[in-house]
Amino acid sequence: MRRRLTLLVAAITSAVVLALLIPLALLLRTLAEDRAIAAAASASQTLLTVAVATADGHDATPPGPAVNAQLAELVRTRPGVVLSLYGPDGSPVAGVAIRDPHVQEVIKTKQNSTRRGTSAVVYSMAVADDGDAFVSRAEVGEPLLHQGAARAVAIVAGLALVVLVVAVLAADRLGRRITAPLYDLAAAADRMREGPLDERVPQRGPREVVALASALNRLAARIRQLLASERDAVADLSHRLRTPVTALRLDTEFVDDPEVAERMRVHVTQLERTIDAIVHDARRPSRSGQASGSCDVGRVVAERVAFWSALAEDQGRPLRLALPDRPLRARLDAADLADVVDVLIDNVFEHTDDGTPVEIWVVPRADGAVVLTVEDAGPGLPSIDVITRGTSNKGSTGLGLDIVRRAALASSGSLELGRSRLGGALVRLVLGRADT
């Protein structure tokens, strides 16, 4: 907007300046011509006055000493003007001898005239008391005809350029005053996107920008209210669901048939896992996308693997962990990363048989990102569509991997699924590098 406003003002100012400069330049050129022609006419009249006075006084016949003296003075004071004096018969009698047929026409018509072209010629006529007619011819060349016009046009063009520069600078300053609040508005919106919804957008600038900032502040306040209501609803949902599930688990203890009781316990366990995943996933939007925390990936993974190692030992699972020899910090909160590791390990334990090997790797990437890989030797993953729809024959809801995917996106990373070198599933989580 700022650039377009500046270009628009520059274009309009240039058009106005050109619209004034071109006619003004022509006017200055015409004024210079008129000034030169007026000077030539004055010289002609002066020369004719001396010639008529000399002829009238019968002191001398032109060209007499007075005429020649005046002619010399005029040539000295008006360089560039070619003067010629013609007698009653049209022949040159003083000055530069130029045969000009137009002189006879001036004598006949007894009218002064001026011819314009690349040079201007002024014809002036005077009649003595004895009836003799004298004609003075003054020719002004191109250098004198437009003397000073170029300099005047250059000065006007310089002033026009100054006006254009001032207009552009004023437009740029005005554009900055308009766009600066918009940039502040965009920056505040980005900060809100990163998580802190208590950020207030500064309400300054034009009325329209102030109205937009006010609307954004009201939107942020409404979002905070909705998130608070959502967290309350999730907490209430957690309590509401866990109570009947706990009662259902207690009821399984009174089932006499061991096979039915075991099947019911498995279903209840799966139901508990589903409820935990739903509640965890519902709470995550209030934190996802913040990317404000960071943690040492190796330390968090080591703590969670140590927690699960007891269950792995009971199930006879080889659990191998490979960690870097230096801290690797990722743009993800330690609690969120712990949830992610728990989901990945729990998925392996839930969907593979006892004794299935599990390998966990944490390695750095060249661009600073951290790669967390979980591999197993189980049956592998179903298709991505099946996981997304939650229709796997293993009973998975797909919520676990969705939690992992959201955590990866929150850290500006990615989630990759595939076949591991052990023959089973491979889950590779790329975590963005921490800012600090």
Side-chain angles (χ1 to χ4, degrees):
M1 178 186 294
R2 176 181 170 186
R3 181 181 178 186
R4 291 182 179 179
L5 180 61
T6 304
L7 291 177
L8 178 62
V9 171
I12 294 176
T13 306
S14 300
V16 173
V17 166
L18 288 176
L20 294 176
L21 182 60
I22 294 176
L24 187 57
L26 296 177
L27 177 61
L28 291 174
R29 183 182 177 90
T30 302
L31 290 176
E33 291 180 359
D34 292 342
R35 184 180 64 250
I37 292 173
S42 176
S44 296
Q45 291 295 335
T46 303
L47 183 61
L48 285 174
T49 300
V50 175
V52 170
T54 301
D56 185 52
H58 300 284
D59 294 334
T61 301
V67 173
N68 289 331
Q70 185 63 47
L71 181 61
E73 177 65 19
L74 292 173
V75 170
R76 185 182 66 82
T77 57
R78 291 178 173 83
V81 178
V82 181
L83 291 172
S84 302
L85 183 62
Y86 297 85
D89 59 351
S91 61
V93 294
V96 180
I98 299 176
R99 293 291 180 180
D100 191 342
H102 193 67
V103 173
Q104 294 292 343
E105 183 180 347
V106 173
I107 294 174
K108 291 178 182 179
T109 60
K110 294 182 172 55
Q111 291 182 351
N112 299 339
S113 66
T114 301
R115 289 188 304 166
R116 293 174 181 258
T118 55
S119 61
V121 181
V122 178
Y123 298 92
S124 301
M125 190 192 72
V127 181
D129 291 341
D130 58 0
D132 292 335
F134 295 93
V135 176
S136 174
R137 180 184 186 275
E139 183 176 352
V140 183
E142 171 68 23
L144 183 60
L145 191 63
H146 300 120
Q147 185 178 16
R151 181 171 178 271
V153 171
I155 293 175
V156 173
L159 293 176
L161 182 60
V162 171
V163 171
L164 178 61
V165 171
V166 171
V168 170
L169 292 178
D172 182 73
R173 185 175 181 84
L174 178 62
R176 186 180 304 173
R177 291 185 60 185
I178 295 176
T179 57
L182 293 177
Y183 282 120
D184 294 341
L185 186 64
D190 285 337
R191 290 192 293 270
M192 288 182 182
R193 179 181 61 85
E194 295 298 330
L197 295 177
D198 55 348
E199 176 77 22
R200 296 287 297 177
V201 179
Q203 299 183 18
R204 63 184 183 87
R207 289 187 304 172
E208 294 79 3
V209 178
V210 171
L212 180 59
S214 177
L216 187 59
N217 286 331
R218 292 195 299 271
L219 177 62
R222 178 58 177 165
I223 292 175
R224 288 196 299 270
Q225 294 176 358
L226 293 176
L227 288 177
S229 300
E230 180 187 6
R231 286 192 290 268
D232 294 340
V234 168
D236 183 65
L237 175 66
S238 176
H239 289 292
R240 288 174 179 271
L241 291 178
R242 291 185 186 279
T243 300
V245 170
T246 302
L248 185 59
R249 177 177 290 279
L250 293 175
D251 290 341
T252 59
E253 302 296 332
F254 299 99
V255 177
D256 296 332
D257 190 340
E259 183 178 353
V260 175
E262 179 62 25
R263 187 166 63 250
M264 290 183 64
R265 280 192 292 270
V266 170
H267 291 326
V268 171
T269 301
Q270 182 63 36
L271 180 59
E272 287 179 338
R273 292 178 184 273
T274 302
I275 293 174
D276 290 340
I278 292 174
V279 172
H280 190 282
D281 189 60
R283 286 175 174 171
R284 182 167 298 275
S286 63
R287 301 195 307 264
S288 65
Q290 294 181 8
S292 57
S294 63
C295 66
D296 182 359
V297 178
R299 182 182 62 81
V300 175
V301 172
E303 291 176 356
R304 301 318 300 163
V305 170
F307 173 80
W308 288 90
S309 60
L311 181 59
E313 184 178 353
D314 291 342
Q315 296 182 358
R317 294 177 181 272
L319 181 59
R320 180 185 176 189
L321 175 63
L323 297 176
D325 56 357
R326 60 184 178 88
L328 297 177
R329 301 195 67 81
R331 192 190 307 169
L332 193 65
D333 186 74
D336 288 344
L337 181 58
D339 292 342
V340 168
V341 177
D342 288 343
V343 167
L344 294 178
I345 297 178
D346 181 64
N347 279 345
V348 175
F349 282 28
E350 177 67 20
H351 302 296
T352 61
D353 297 332
D354 293 352
T356 302
V358 182
E359 294 186 0
I360 301 175
W361 306 77
V362 177
V363 295
R365 209 167 65 173
D367 59 356
V370 183
V371 180
L372 169 62
T373 305
V374 178
E375 300 180 84
D376 63 64
L381 292 170
S383 67
I384 300 300
D385 292 338
V386 170
I387 294 176
T388 304
R389 294 193 303 267
T391 56
S392 170
N393 55 9
K394 287 288 186 178
S396 172
T397 64
L399 289 172
L401 289 180
D402 191 58
I403 293 174
V404 176
R405 178 183 63 82
R406 293 190 183 185
L409 294 178
S411 69
S412 301
S414 60
L415 175 65
E416 302 174 11
L417 305 177
R419 175 72 63 176
S420 73
R421 58 185 181 81
L422 301 178
L426 178 144
V427 179
R428 179 175 291 114
L429 181 66
V430 179
L431 302 174
R433 179 180 59 183
D435 296 332
T436 56

